[in-house]
Structures are given as C-alpha cells and as structure tokens.
Amino acid sequence: MTVLAHRTTASDGKDGLARDALAVLQPGFEGTTAPAWLLRRVGEGLTAVGLFGRNIASPEQLAALTAQLRAERDDVLVAIDEEGGDVTRLEVRGGSSFPGNLALGAVDDTGLTRDVARELGRRLAECGVNLNWAPSADVNSNPDNPVIGVRSFGADTGLAARHTAAYVEGLQAAGVAACTKHFPGHGDTNVDSHHALPRIDVDLDTLQARELVPFKAAIEAGTKAVMSAHILVPALDPTRPATLSPQILTGLLRKELGYEGLIVTDGMEMNAIAGTYGIERGSVLAIAAGADAICVGGGLADEATVLRLRDALVAAVREGTLPEERLADAAARVRELAAWTVGARPDARPEGSRASGIGLTAARRALVVTGSAGPVRNPYVATLTPVANIAVGDETPWGVAGELAALVPATASGRYPEGAAAADILAAAGDRTVVAVVRDEHRHPWMTEALDALVAARPDTVVVEMGLPQAAPRGALHIATHGASRVCGRAAAEVIAGV
C-alpha cells in the first residue's frame, strides 16, 4: 500500500492537521437525513460516516441519504454494521433477508457464502453504502460467549477461516469494502465488551493456531479493513486492550501478519474503552497504537462528539503524545480506501433467481431437523425471549410466529420473558400444538426448565432453537436454524407447516 503521496505534512499547518483529525473519524448521527452539521464537517474533511438502524427507513430513503453525503464529497465512506442474520441495520424493522454466519458455516459451502455476501453487498451498494463492518471472523470457541455466538461461522478454526475469506471475496466483488472483525479474536470471551473489558487467557500457540487463522485468511483474501476488539489478551499485551495496543495493532497485525489496509476500532463509546480510558484519550491511544479510523456514534451521535475527538487528536499532536506522522498516515489510509470505493467495479449480478432468493435458500439448507411432527395445523407459538445483546439490539423482530401465521392462518402466539413457566404457556395454548422457540437455550437455565416441563406434559411439542444449538434435541420435532433472521424463521415455519 502506498500512502506517502497522500499524506498531509507539517507544512500544511493547522488546517491540515484538523482535516487529518476529521478524516480518521467514523461518526454516527441521528435521523434519516444528513443534518447540516454533518454535511459541513464532510466538506471540511470528514471522510467517513457510520450508519445505524435509526438512520434507515427504506432502501429509497437510504439511497437519498447517501446521495446527500456524496453531494459534499464523492468519495465519502458510508459504513454500516450489516452482518446479515441477527445483526442487521438495513432491515432492522423486519429482520434480515439473509442468514448469518453460523447458518452459513452449518451449510459449509464456501460458494454459497460467497454468493450470499455478494448479494448482500450488492444491496448495500445500490443504497450507496460502500464499507461494511463485517464479517465476524471470530472462532466461537466458548459457547457461553454472550456477544458473538451465531455471529461466528462456528467453533472450528478451519471452517471459520475459509468462510471468512469467501465472505470477504463476495462482499468486495460487489464493490463494498469488507471490515473483518474483531481482531485478534473475540470468540473465547465470557464478557460483552459493550459492558466491560473481556479477557482472553490463552497462550501464544493457541492464539496462532485458533484466533489468528481466520484473520490471516481474510488478509490473504484482500480484506480492505480490519476492526480491532476491545479485549485484553495478556499473551500479547498484559496492560492494554487490543484497540489501544501497539504490540497488537502495529507489531502483530501490521508487521507480523503483513496487513496493509485500514484498521478500524470497534465503537469507542463501548464501556470496555469509555469506562476506563474515556473516548478522547482512548481515541488518541488507538491512533498512536496503529489504528487508522475511530468508530463512534452508536451511542454518541452528535457534532459535539466529533469536535471533541477532532480537538483531542489535534491537541495530542501539538503536545507530542501523538506523532503527527502517525495521524497523517492514518488519514492517508482512510483516503486511500475511499478512493478504492470510487474506482471499484462490481461483478455482474448472477442471472435468475439464485441472487434474489439466495438468502432463503441458504436458510433452508442450514436447518437441522430432528424427529417429525407432520404438518401442524393448530400451532401455539411460545417465544421464550432472552435479553438481546447490544450488537443485535431489541428492535429487530425474530422468531417463527409471523412467518408461520403467513402459512397457517390459525396460528396463535405469545412471548415469554425470563421467569415464565411451562404452566403459563400450556394455559395459553389450550389444546393447540405448542411450538416453543428459544435462542441460546444452553445459556438460560430458565428456558431449559420450561422446555423440559413442556415436553414432559405435551410430547407433541415442537422446539425451535434459533441460537447456538448446544442443548440436546427434544420434542416431537426439533429444528435448529443456526440464527434468528427473518429467513431462518421462514425456513423453520415451512417445516412446521409441512410446505
């Protein structure tokens, strides 16, 4: 990667320094149109903008929003956290048209993964989005992980590596830059970094053989960006989380793995960073450590935050705590990726129905069905609802009730939070066949207790697991969907309805 030709040097003076500081930020904002302050800052040098579910109402609205931004500069990076599956922003109100990583890993067809990523990328590109904070390359080695789970391709390192590479290739074939995450690997944690600082206590040999392998595959596949994780890995750096660690970002990622693309931080307002370092100091430390772009805006989404971070970076350069050359190099890498998106030439869309229906096709192939109940004509869908992690969010609907009702109009349903008992469900179901829907049952003892009692009382119970299928199958019919996206619900509903 050649970056020197794009660098802002000291001779550019105060304005050049401020432009570089703006260039490394990837802020969010409120609303479905670009506010005046954001357009003004884009004109002043802000090179990237992050989108969240709150910014998206429809593909047409999103295309108009990105056109607003590009009226200020045609190479602006418009980023989004669109993993498909459980984590969707493009379809936050209805659920994703694509299964997530675990479902794709369960099928284990890299051609399918590549095609799914290409089609998802095509839809993003049509709306003007050119940087996707995906895929998750984390090996889900700890099934109790509260934040990764179905966002991983699986617990097998080789499988995760080959599907990460396929996903990167497919997404970038559509002209959308991939941002592989969460380096150096978030899969063996039992803490959500949105709330606290996770710690991975494994030795270097384990990291090399497990966590790093999918990232090596992503680099070989040409991923345009890599996102750092807010995790402490003492074997690599005993004091600083990866996002703030020169040993991890510069020593390991840049020098040892030879990665030359953009390094993006995870959200800096996540408590793993904000609660310990603060976002201003954390942002300075991240750039100094080797990060090139600061992701912020999931929670703090206003002009004041952008100005605070810009001024903190400028002040750090003037005080000598952040080398000016490092900030200039980071800004140059951002601008180089922006230039790539302008010149990207997407592959032609595959002909026929493979592209338009590929999400549902993949979801159907990902199902693992145990037992048989025959078509269920009088279902009562009881959805046992855990609290969703922040990455997934509570606003995206999930389950099978809506999809099953479209196939079996007599469907009735209810949602049951933690503490609900089987007796509550049986009383509501009456003589209907119970369809119990769970998500990560193995992490929620109350779900296990309710399911055991349901199956004991009603052996014809149908169980649908929409998270990690760790618990043993039971019920007359057990369906593991490997994810909770809308198409996963549709695929399960088809089996239940016998269509």
Side-chain angles (χ1 to χ4, degrees):
M1 174 181 175
T2 302
V3 295
L4 292 176
H6 300 284
R7 279 183 175 169
T8 301
T9 65
S11 62
D12 292 313
K14 179 176 66 176
D15 290 344
L17 187 60
R19 288 185 71 83
D20 281 353
L22 279 175
V24 303
L25 303 180
Q26 295 188 352
F29 61 96
E30 299 285 347
T32 54
T33 59
W37 69 262
L38 183 65
L39 297 174
R40 183 170 62 252
R41 299 305 172 190
V42 169
E44 293 174 1
L46 185 69
T47 310
V49 173
L51 300 180
F52 298 86
R54 62 176 179 252
N55 304 123
I56 300 169
S58 69
E60 295 75 20
Q61 167 269 324
L62 179 55
L65 168 57
T66 59
Q68 268 190 296
L69 295 168
R70 293 205 167 85
E72 295 297 324
R73 61 177 301 159
D74 60 1
D75 66 343
V76 66
L77 288 169
V78 181
I80 197 169
D81 192 3
E82 182 58 50
E83 300 176 15
D86 292 30
V87 180
T88 179
R89 312 300 179 221
L90 197 60
E91 299 181 275
V92 67
R93 290 167 180 80
S96 180
S97 299
F98 302 92
N101 284 5
L102 188 67
L104 295 173
V107 177
D108 196 13
D109 177 346
T110 54
L112 178 67
T113 294
R114 191 176 294 108
D115 288 347
V116 165
R118 183 189 293 116
E119 178 62 11
L120 188 150
R122 186 194 64 78
R123 295 191 191 184
L124 291 174
E126 282 185 345
C127 297
V129 177
N130 53 13
L131 172 59
N132 191 9
W133 293 320
S136 290
D138 311 289
V139 179
N140 199 56
S141 53
N142 183 351
D144 290 329
N145 192 317
V147 69
I148 301 300
V150 297
R151 301 168 65 197
S152 166
F153 288 109
D156 179 86
T157 299
L159 179 145
R162 61 181 174 267
H163 285 277
T164 294
Y167 198 103
V168 167
E169 291 164 357
L171 194 62
Q172 292 183 171
V176 175
C179 183
T180 305
K181 61 189 182 185
H182 308 80
F183 187 82
H186 210 311
D188 193 20
T189 61
N190 57 13
V191 172
D192 187 340
S193 50
H194 292 88
H195 302 300
L197 179 62
R199 177 185 178 109
I200 296 182
D201 285 304
V202 298
D203 57 31
L204 284 173
D205 288 344
T206 301
L207 289 169
Q208 289 286 354
R210 189 178 67 187
E211 270 73 20
L212 297 182
V213 174
F215 290 98
K216 293 176 183 177
I219 292 169
E220 291 174 3
T223 187
K224 294 296 180 180
V226 169
M227 178 177 283
S228 66
H230 302 332
I231 57 174
L232 188 67
V233 188
L236 299 173
D237 187 332
T239 59
R240 286 189 178 178
T243 295
L244 311 183
S245 171
Q247 293 97 311
I248 295 175
L249 298 188
T250 299
L252 175 59
L253 184 53
R254 287 277 186 233
K255 295 181 179 178
E256 184 176 334
L257 300 185
Y259 176 64
E260 289 291 336
L262 192 74
I263 301 177
V264 183
T265 73
D266 207 343
M268 294 301 286
E269 65 267 61
M270 292 164 64
N271 208 43
I273 299 296
T276 305
Y277 297 89
I279 64 166
E280 293 97 331
R281 180 169 176 246
S283 296
V284 169
L285 290 173
I287 298 295
D292 306 305
I294 301 297
C295 177
V296 65
L300 300 171
D302 54 22
E303 184 178 21
T305 298
V306 173
L307 297 181
R308 283 166 55 198
L309 296 183
R310 180 200 66 183
D311 294 348
L313 292 166
V314 169
V317 170
R318 291 176 177 164
E319 294 164 1
T321 55
L322 173 63
E324 185 172 356
E325 294 79 7
R326 171 77 277 271
L327 179 62
D329 176 73
R333 291 180 189 276
V334 173
R335 294 176 186 127
E336 183 151 325
L337 179 58
W340 176 85
T341 64
V342 172
R345 295 292 179 265
D347 289 352
R349 186 185 188 194
E351 295 183 1
S353 62
R354 178 161 173 79
S356 60
I358 195 168
L360 181 55
T361 297
R364 288 168 176 159
R365 290 181 63 186
L367 295 181
V368 173
V369 179
T370 305
S372 176
V376 177
R377 298 305 181 201
N378 60 340
Y380 179 80
V381 181
T383 306
L384 282 61
T385 56
V387 175
N389 72 60
I390 294 176
V392 173
D394 289 313
E395 67 271 33
T396 304
W398 67 278
V400 303
E403 298 297 330
L404 188 55
L407 300 174
V408 183
T411 299
S413 63
R415 300 185 77 85
Y416 296 86
E418 183 171 358
D424 302 322
I425 297 170
L426 293 170
D431 61 357
R432 293 172 174 269
T433 301
V434 175
V435 178
V437 184
V438 295
R439 201 173 186 177
D440 292 341
E441 181 212 330
H442 68 286
R443 294 184 52 241
H444 303 284
W446 67 275
M447 288 186 188
T448 299
E449 183 178 347
L451 284 184
D452 286 344
L454 281 172
V455 172
R458 298 281 292 275
D460 64 340
T461 295
V462 175
V463 178
V464 182
E465 170 60 85
M466 304 195 78
L468 281 177
Q470 294 292 120
R474 59 198 185 284
L477 175 67
H478 185 279
I479 304 172
T481 63
H482 300 92
S485 70
R486 178 175 55 80
V487 288
C488 290
R490 170 72 186 198
E494 289 175 349
V495 173
I496 297 166
V499 300

